[in-house]
Amino acid sequence: MKKWQKFILSILLIFYAIPLAEFVWPIEFRNVLQTINQFLPRLHIPKINWSSVSFNGGLVLLGILLIIWLVILFAPITRLEVILHKDAHGELELSNKSIASYAQLAALDAGLLDPKIKIKATKHKVKLVIRATTNQANQLKPDLEASTAKINQQITDFIGDSQVHIHTKLLVDQKQAATTKRPRVV
């Protein structure tokens, strides 16, 4: 889980703790809120109507929960394989690693050096990002779309299923000149 996801979940948990505390310990929670309301005039802040704050906060949290539920429900599921055939006897799958290695061979055939493949597969779509280097970046740029179409066609033929859509993004860098090793000065 990424740091921003953890941060958002921790903020939501803090906001959910307030209505939960009001539900579990109603008398003690109201005493704490009355104490806060008695302290606020000393800071020249008007008293807060905590029941409306709690109700409105609960509505906002319910809306956020509904949005999260809809995202989870309708977001495409990332798969580790593409299902080619499924019947009562089982299913035939093609793993992402095999697609990536075949895409690497196709990129090498297209004249690219040191291809690195990132793949994301869903039920009916495979996205490939191929990052490679070349010696002649200027000569390859006009042929970039043709190379991408050729790689797409090769992978489509490899998968053999017309329902699976292939989307390839080809990123080409120019190969760095040989670097000279310099001694470290301490």
Side-chain angles (χ1 to χ4, degrees):
M1 189 176 281
K2 297 178 182 173
K3 286 184 180 181
W4 67 269
Q5 292 170 331
K6 290 180 182 179
F7 178 74
I8 289 174
L9 284 177
S10 61
I11 296 289
L12 284 175
L13 284 176
I14 290 170
F15 283 130
Y16 276 112
I18 294 169
L20 183 65
E22 184 178 2
F23 180 72
V24 175
W25 303 289
I27 297 170
E28 292 85 1
F29 190 71
R30 288 180 202 269
N31 290 339
V32 169
L33 294 180
Q34 287 175 356
T35 306
I36 292 172
N37 265 345
Q38 290 172 357
F39 182 71
L40 288 178
R42 294 180 188 170
L43 300 174
H44 304 291
I45 299 174
K47 291 185 178 183
I48 298 173
N49 185 2
W50 290 105
S51 61
S52 66
V53 169
S54 177
F55 178 74
N56 293 334
L59 286 179
V60 169
L61 291 176
L62 184 65
I64 291 172
L65 188 65
L66 181 66
I67 290 170
I68 291 172
W69 179 70
L70 289 174
V71 167
I72 290 171
L73 188 65
F74 293 113
I77 299 170
T78 305
R79 298 176 183 254
L80 297 175
E81 66 278 329
V82 175
I83 298 175
L84 300 177
H85 180 73
K86 187 174 184 179
D87 60 5
H89 300 293
E91 54 188 36
L92 178 62
E93 299 174 344
L94 185 61
S95 71
N96 287 350
K97 289 182 180 181
S98 62
I99 295 171
S101 64
Y102 190 79
Q104 186 175 16
L105 291 174
L108 288 172
D109 285 345
L112 301 173
L113 304 173
D114 192 29
K116 292 180 178 42
I117 315 293
K118 290 183 182 177
I119 186 168
K120 183 177 180 183
T122 58
K123 188 173 185 178
H124 297 292
K125 194 172 202 179
V126 175
K127 290 183 182 180
L128 293 164
V129 177
I130 302 173
R131 180 173 215 99
T133 58
T134 183
N135 291 331
Q136 308 93 340
N138 295 336
Q139 294 175 358
L140 187 64
K141 287 200 181 204
D143 299 330
L144 199 58
E145 290 180 16
S147 297
T148 304
K150 180 182 174 187
I151 291 172
N152 270 348
Q153 185 60 38
Q154 287 178 341
I155 293 172
T156 303
D157 293 341
F158 176 66
I159 292 176
D161 190 358
S162 61
Q163 291 181 352
V164 177
H165 300 288
I166 309 296
H167 177 71
T168 303
K169 185 176 182 181
L170 192 57
L171 304 171
V172 179
D173 300 325
Q174 187 163 354
K175 188 174 182 181
Q176 296 289 331
T179 58
T180 58
K181 292 186 179 181
R182 298 179 188 166
R184 261 181 45 180
V185 178
V186 181

mmCIF file of all heavy atoms in Angstrom, residues 41-73:
data_model
loop_
_atom_site.group_PDB
_atom_site.id
_atom_site.type_symbol
_atom_site.label_atom_id
_atom_site.label_comp_id
_atom_site.label_asym_id
_atom_site.label_seq_id
_atom_site.Cartn_x
_atom_site.Cartn_y
_atom_site.Cartn_z
ATOM 1 N N PRO A 41 -15.329 29.977 24.906
ATOM 2 C CA PRO A 41 -15.477 31.439 25.106
ATOM 3 C C PRO A 41 -14.217 32.109 25.625
ATOM 4 O O PRO A 41 -14.006 33.291 25.386
ATOM 5 C CB PRO A 41 -16.623 31.551 26.100
ATOM 6 C CG PRO A 41 -17.408 30.307 25.932
ATOM 7 C CD PRO A 41 -16.400 29.251 25.580
ATOM 8 N N ARG A 42 -13.367 31.393 26.312
ATOM 9 C CA ARG A 42 -12.107 31.977 26.790
ATOM 10 C C ARG A 42 -11.193 32.335 25.611
ATOM 11 O O ARG A 42 -10.360 33.222 25.719
ATOM 12 C CB ARG A 42 -11.379 31.006 27.722
ATOM 13 C CG ARG A 42 -12.107 30.753 29.001
ATOM 14 C CD ARG A 42 -11.339 29.803 29.867
ATOM 15 N NE ARG A 42 -12.135 29.401 31.019
ATOM 16 C CZ ARG A 42 -11.815 28.449 31.844
ATOM 17 N NH1 ARG A 42 -10.687 27.776 31.675
ATOM 18 N NH2 ARG A 42 -12.592 28.158 32.855
ATOM 19 N N LEU A 43 -11.332 31.599 24.512
ATOM 20 C CA LEU A 43 -10.527 31.872 23.309
ATOM 21 C C LEU A 43 -11.260 32.793 22.335
ATOM 22 O O LEU A 43 -10.816 32.954 21.198
ATOM 23 C CB LEU A 43 -10.182 30.551 22.600
ATOM 24 C CG LEU A 43 -9.391 29.536 23.411
ATOM 25 C CD1 LEU A 43 -9.248 28.236 22.643
ATOM 26 C CD2 LEU A 43 -8.006 30.087 23.732
ATOM 27 N N HIS A 44 -12.394 33.344 22.771
ATOM 28 C CA HIS A 44 -13.237 34.225 21.948
ATOM 29 C C HIS A 44 -13.765 33.491 20.706
ATOM 30 O O HIS A 44 -13.831 34.062 19.627
ATOM 31 C CB HIS A 44 -12.474 35.496 21.541
ATOM 32 C CG HIS A 44 -11.932 36.252 22.712
ATOM 33 N ND1 HIS A 44 -12.763 36.913 23.596
ATOM 34 C CD2 HIS A 44 -10.663 36.432 23.161
ATOM 35 C CE1 HIS A 44 -12.013 37.482 24.536
ATOM 36 N NE2 HIS A 44 -10.740 37.205 24.302
ATOM 37 N N ILE A 45 -14.121 32.237 20.881
ATOM 38 C CA ILE A 45 -14.716 31.428 19.817
ATOM 39 C C ILE A 45 -16.134 31.089 20.261
ATOM 40 O O ILE A 45 -16.338 30.666 21.407
ATOM 41 C CB ILE A 45 -13.908 30.134 19.585
ATOM 42 C CG1 ILE A 45 -12.474 30.468 19.146
ATOM 43 C CG2 ILE A 45 -14.581 29.251 18.531
ATOM 44 C CD1 ILE A 45 -11.564 29.267 19.042
ATOM 45 N N PRO A 46 -17.123 31.267 19.394
ATOM 46 C CA PRO A 46 -18.498 30.944 19.803
ATOM 47 C C PRO A 46 -18.667 29.447 20.038
ATOM 48 O O PRO A 46 -17.927 28.622 19.504
ATOM 49 C CB PRO A 46 -19.350 31.427 18.633
ATOM 50 C CG PRO A 46 -18.427 31.511 17.479
ATOM 51 C CD PRO A 46 -17.067 31.770 18.027
ATOM 52 N N LYS A 47 -19.669 29.111 20.854
ATOM 53 C CA LYS A 47 -19.946 27.705 21.147
ATOM 54 C C LYS A 47 -20.376 26.978 19.883
ATOM 55 O O LYS A 47 -20.980 27.557 18.984
ATOM 56 C CB LYS A 47 -21.034 27.589 22.213
ATOM 57 C CG LYS A 47 -20.581 28.054 23.574
ATOM 58 C CD LYS A 47 -21.631 27.803 24.615
ATOM 59 C CE LYS A 47 -21.109 28.235 25.971
ATOM 60 N NZ LYS A 47 -22.053 27.953 27.028
ATOM 61 N N ILE A 48 -20.051 25.699 19.842
ATOM 62 C CA ILE A 48 -20.327 24.868 18.661
ATOM 63 C C ILE A 48 -21.505 23.957 18.961
ATOM 64 O O ILE A 48 -21.574 23.343 20.029
ATOM 65 C CB ILE A 48 -19.080 24.039 18.289
ATOM 66 C CG1 ILE A 48 -17.914 24.966 17.929
ATOM 67 C CG2 ILE A 48 -19.379 23.111 17.131
ATOM 68 C CD1 ILE A 48 -16.603 24.257 17.719
ATOM 69 N N ASN A 49 -22.413 23.867 17.994
ATOM 70 C CA ASN A 49 -23.534 22.937 18.100
ATOM 71 C C ASN A 49 -23.036 21.562 17.639
ATOM 72 O O ASN A 49 -22.995 21.259 16.444
ATOM 73 C CB ASN A 49 -24.704 23.429 17.236
ATOM 74 C CG ASN A 49 -25.924 22.554 17.405
ATOM 75 O OD1 ASN A 49 -25.934 21.609 18.188
ATOM 76 N ND2 ASN A 49 -26.970 22.888 16.674
ATOM 77 N N TRP A 50 -22.636 20.740 18.605
ATOM 78 C CA TRP A 50 -21.981 19.477 18.280
ATOM 79 C C TRP A 50 -22.921 18.469 17.643
ATOM 80 O O TRP A 50 -22.475 17.610 16.885
ATOM 81 C CB TRP A 50 -21.338 18.890 19.533
ATOM 82 C CG TRP A 50 -20.159 19.679 19.976
ATOM 83 C CD1 TRP A 50 -20.093 20.530 21.035
ATOM 84 C CD2 TRP A 50 -18.889 19.729 19.342
ATOM 85 N NE1 TRP A 50 -18.858 21.100 21.112
ATOM 86 C CE2 TRP A 50 -18.081 20.622 20.090
ATOM 87 C CE3 TRP A 50 -18.332 19.116 18.233
ATOM 88 C CZ2 TRP A 50 -16.765 20.910 19.750
ATOM 89 C CZ3 TRP A 50 -17.018 19.396 17.889
ATOM 90 C CH2 TRP A 50 -16.251 20.289 18.643
ATOM 91 N N SER A 51 -24.211 18.551 17.906
ATOM 92 C CA SER A 51 -25.125 17.582 17.281
ATOM 93 C C SER A 51 -25.207 17.810 15.778
ATOM 94 O O SER A 51 -25.230 16.852 14.997
ATOM 95 C CB SER A 51 -26.510 17.664 17.927
ATOM 96 O OG SER A 51 -27.062 18.961 17.744
ATOM 97 N N SER A 52 -25.229 19.074 15.334
ATOM 98 C CA SER A 52 -25.249 19.327 13.885
ATOM 99 C C SER A 52 -23.906 18.982 13.258
ATOM 100 O O SER A 52 -23.843 18.483 12.132
ATOM 101 C CB SER A 52 -25.628 20.779 13.592
ATOM 102 O OG SER A 52 -24.641 21.651 14.061
ATOM 103 N N VAL A 53 -22.807 19.233 13.968
ATOM 104 C CA VAL A 53 -21.483 18.864 13.452
ATOM 105 C C VAL A 53 -21.385 17.350 13.284
ATOM 106 O O VAL A 53 -20.893 16.844 12.276
ATOM 107 C CB VAL A 53 -20.369 19.384 14.384
ATOM 108 C CG1 VAL A 53 -19.026 18.787 14.025
ATOM 109 C CG2 VAL A 53 -20.316 20.891 14.355
ATOM 110 N N SER A 54 -21.899 16.617 14.268
ATOM 111 C CA SER A 54 -21.864 15.159 14.203
ATOM 112 C C SER A 54 -22.738 14.636 13.059
ATOM 113 O O SER A 54 -22.328 13.748 12.311
ATOM 114 C CB SER A 54 -22.321 14.571 15.527
ATOM 115 O OG SER A 54 -22.352 13.175 15.467
ATOM 116 N N PHE A 55 -23.934 15.225 12.904
ATOM 117 C CA PHE A 55 -24.835 14.781 11.834
ATOM 118 C C PHE A 55 -24.240 15.082 10.457
ATOM 119 O O PHE A 55 -24.206 14.212 9.587
ATOM 120 C CB PHE A 55 -26.201 15.462 11.982
ATOM 121 C CG PHE A 55 -27.169 15.087 10.903
ATOM 122 C CD1 PHE A 55 -27.774 13.840 10.899
ATOM 123 C CD2 PHE A 55 -27.452 15.974 9.875
ATOM 124 C CE1 PHE A 55 -28.656 13.481 9.893
ATOM 125 C CE2 PHE A 55 -28.335 15.628 8.874
ATOM 126 C CZ PHE A 55 -28.944 14.378 8.880
ATOM 127 N N ASN A 56 -23.758 16.308 10.260
ATOM 128 C CA ASN A 56 -23.167 16.673 8.967
ATOM 129 C C ASN A 56 -21.895 15.883 8.681
ATOM 130 O O ASN A 56 -21.641 15.484 7.551
ATOM 131 C CB ASN A 56 -22.890 18.174 8.911
ATOM 132 C CG ASN A 56 -24.165 18.982 8.910
ATOM 133 O OD1 ASN A 56 -25.209 18.504 8.487
ATOM 134 N ND2 ASN A 56 -24.072 20.208 9.402
ATOM 135 N N GLY A 57 -21.095 15.664 9.705
ATOM 136 C CA GLY A 57 -19.896 14.841 9.527
ATOM 137 C C GLY A 57 -20.237 13.417 9.148
ATOM 138 O O GLY A 57 -19.559 12.801 8.311
ATOM 139 N N GLY A 58 -21.304 12.888 9.761
ATOM 140 C CA GLY A 58 -21.745 11.537 9.400
ATOM 141 C C GLY A 58 -22.222 11.458 7.962
ATOM 142 O O GLY A 58 -21.953 10.479 7.261
ATOM 143 N N LEU A 59 -22.912 12.508 7.477
ATOM 144 C CA LEU A 59 -23.341 12.525 6.076
ATOM 145 C C LEU A 59 -22.150 12.581 5.125
ATOM 146 O O LEU A 59 -22.125 11.891 4.098
ATOM 147 C CB LEU A 59 -24.275 13.704 5.821
ATOM 148 C CG LEU A 59 -25.694 13.594 6.371
ATOM 149 C CD1 LEU A 59 -26.477 14.858 6.054
ATOM 150 C CD2 LEU A 59 -26.390 12.376 5.807
ATOM 151 N N VAL A 60 -21.154 13.395 5.459
ATOM 152 C CA VAL A 60 -19.961 13.484 4.624
ATOM 153 C C VAL A 60 -19.225 12.152 4.592
ATOM 154 O O VAL A 60 -18.804 11.674 3.526
ATOM 155 C CB VAL A 60 -19.036 14.623 5.127
ATOM 156 C CG1 VAL A 60 -17.673 14.558 4.460
ATOM 157 C CG2 VAL A 60 -19.684 15.971 4.868
ATOM 158 N N LEU A 61 -19.073 11.522 5.748
ATOM 159 C CA LEU A 61 -18.396 10.228 5.801
ATOM 160 C C LEU A 61 -19.182 9.157 5.059
ATOM 161 O O LEU A 61 -18.598 8.280 4.413
ATOM 162 C CB LEU A 61 -18.159 9.813 7.255
ATOM 163 C CG LEU A 61 -17.138 10.657 8.007
ATOM 164 C CD1 LEU A 61 -17.059 10.225 9.455
ATOM 165 C CD2 LEU A 61 -15.784 10.555 7.351
ATOM 166 N N LEU A 62 -20.504 9.209 5.124
ATOM 167 C CA LEU A 62 -21.326 8.271 4.366
ATOM 168 C C LEU A 62 -21.132 8.469 2.868
ATOM 169 O O LEU A 62 -21.026 7.502 2.112
ATOM 170 C CB LEU A 62 -22.798 8.439 4.740
ATOM 171 C CG LEU A 62 -23.770 7.458 4.102
ATOM 172 C CD1 LEU A 62 -23.483 6.046 4.594
ATOM 173 C CD2 LEU A 62 -25.195 7.849 4.419
ATOM 174 N N GLY A 63 -21.044 9.730 2.427
ATOM 175 C CA GLY A 63 -20.790 10.013 1.009
ATOM 176 C C GLY A 63 -19.427 9.512 0.573
ATOM 177 O O GLY A 63 -19.284 8.923 -0.507
ATOM 178 N N ILE A 64 -18.404 9.731 1.396
ATOM 179 C CA ILE A 64 -17.058 9.242 1.071
ATOM 180 C C ILE A 64 -17.043 7.726 1.008
ATOM 181 O O ILE A 64 -16.438 7.130 0.110
ATOM 182 C CB ILE A 64 -16.036 9.774 2.098
ATOM 183 C CG1 ILE A 64 -15.860 11.279 1.930
ATOM 184 C CG2 ILE A 64 -14.699 9.070 1.963
ATOM 185 C CD1 ILE A 64 -15.026 11.928 3.015
ATOM 186 N N LEU A 65 -17.718 7.079 1.943
ATOM 187 C CA LEU A 65 -17.794 5.621 1.943
ATOM 188 C C LEU A 65 -18.501 5.106 0.695
ATOM 189 O O LEU A 65 -18.073 4.111 0.102
ATOM 190 C CB LEU A 65 -18.515 5.144 3.204
ATOM 191 C CG LEU A 65 -18.527 3.648 3.462
ATOM 192 C CD1 LEU A 65 -17.117 3.149 3.703
ATOM 193 C CD2 LEU A 65 -19.397 3.327 4.656
ATOM 194 N N LEU A 66 -19.544 5.791 0.262
ATOM 195 C CA LEU A 66 -20.259 5.403 -0.951
ATOM 196 C C LEU A 66 -19.371 5.547 -2.185
ATOM 197 O O LEU A 66 -19.348 4.662 -3.049
ATOM 198 C CB LEU A 66 -21.530 6.245 -1.101
ATOM 199 C CG LEU A 66 -22.396 5.928 -2.310
ATOM 200 C CD1 LEU A 66 -22.982 4.529 -2.185
ATOM 201 C CD2 LEU A 66 -23.499 6.950 -2.463
ATOM 202 N N ILE A 67 -18.615 6.638 -2.256
ATOM 203 C CA ILE A 67 -17.701 6.832 -3.391
ATOM 204 C C ILE A 67 -16.623 5.755 -3.414
ATOM 205 O O ILE A 67 -16.313 5.189 -4.463
ATOM 206 C CB ILE A 67 -17.086 8.249 -3.338
ATOM 207 C CG1 ILE A 67 -18.154 9.288 -3.657
ATOM 208 C CG2 ILE A 67 -15.926 8.380 -4.311
ATOM 209 C CD1 ILE A 67 -17.711 10.709 -3.398
ATOM 210 N N ILE A 68 -16.043 5.442 -2.269
ATOM 211 C CA ILE A 68 -15.022 4.389 -2.193
ATOM 212 C C ILE A 68 -15.615 3.052 -2.604
ATOM 213 O O ILE A 68 -14.989 2.273 -3.330
ATOM 214 C CB ILE A 68 -14.418 4.327 -0.770
ATOM 215 C CG1 ILE A 68 -13.575 5.575 -0.505
ATOM 216 C CG2 ILE A 68 -13.575 3.074 -0.576
ATOM 217 C CD1 ILE A 68 -13.096 5.705 0.923
ATOM 218 N N TRP A 69 -16.825 2.770 -2.169
ATOM 219 C CA TRP A 69 -17.481 1.518 -2.530
ATOM 220 C C TRP A 69 -17.701 1.430 -4.039
ATOM 221 O O TRP A 69 -17.482 0.379 -4.641
ATOM 222 C CB TRP A 69 -18.803 1.398 -1.776
ATOM 223 C CG TRP A 69 -19.563 0.164 -2.102
ATOM 224 C CD1 TRP A 69 -19.249 -1.118 -1.757
ATOM 225 C CD2 TRP A 69 -20.769 0.087 -2.861
ATOM 226 N NE1 TRP A 69 -20.186 -1.978 -2.251
ATOM 227 C CE2 TRP A 69 -21.134 -1.259 -2.933
ATOM 228 C CE3 TRP A 69 -21.577 1.033 -3.469
ATOM 229 C CZ2 TRP A 69 -22.274 -1.683 -3.604
ATOM 230 C CZ3 TRP A 69 -22.710 0.607 -4.131
ATOM 231 C CH2 TRP A 69 -23.039 -0.732 -4.191
ATOM 232 N N LEU A 70 -18.125 2.527 -4.669
ATOM 233 C CA LEU A 70 -18.346 2.528 -6.118
ATOM 234 C C LEU A 70 -17.034 2.355 -6.884
ATOM 235 O O LEU A 70 -16.987 1.646 -7.896
ATOM 236 C CB LEU A 70 -19.049 3.813 -6.552
ATOM 237 C CG LEU A 70 -20.511 3.930 -6.136
ATOM 238 C CD1 LEU A 70 -21.056 5.297 -6.486
ATOM 239 C CD2 LEU A 70 -21.346 2.833 -6.777
ATOM 240 N N VAL A 71 -15.964 2.988 -6.401
ATOM 241 C CA VAL A 71 -14.664 2.822 -7.051
ATOM 242 C C VAL A 71 -14.204 1.377 -6.956
ATOM 243 O O VAL A 71 -13.737 0.785 -7.934
ATOM 244 C CB VAL A 71 -13.618 3.783 -6.438
ATOM 245 C CG1 VAL A 71 -12.208 3.411 -6.855
ATOM 246 C CG2 VAL A 71 -13.923 5.213 -6.842
ATOM 247 N N ILE A 72 -14.353 0.772 -5.789
ATOM 248 C CA ILE A 72 -13.958 -0.626 -5.612
ATOM 249 C C ILE A 72 -14.814 -1.543 -6.468
ATOM 250 O O ILE A 72 -14.330 -2.500 -7.070
ATOM 251 C CB ILE A 72 -14.036 -1.030 -4.124
ATOM 252 C CG1 ILE A 72 -12.939 -0.325 -3.338
ATOM 253 C CG2 ILE A 72 -13.932 -2.534 -3.946
ATOM 254 C CD1 ILE A 72 -13.050 -0.486 -1.843
ATOM 255 N N LEU A 73 -16.090 -1.226 -6.579
ATOM 256 C CA LEU A 73 -17.012 -2.070 -7.328
ATOM 257 C C LEU A 73 -16.756 -2.022 -8.832
ATOM 258 O O LEU A 73 -16.779 -3.055 -9.502
ATOM 259 C CB LEU A 73 -18.454 -1.650 -7.020
ATOM 260 C CG LEU A 73 -19.561 -2.540 -7.561
ATOM 261 C CD1 LEU A 73 -19.487 -3.908 -6.906
ATOM 262 C CD2 LEU A 73 -20.906 -1.904 -7.296
#
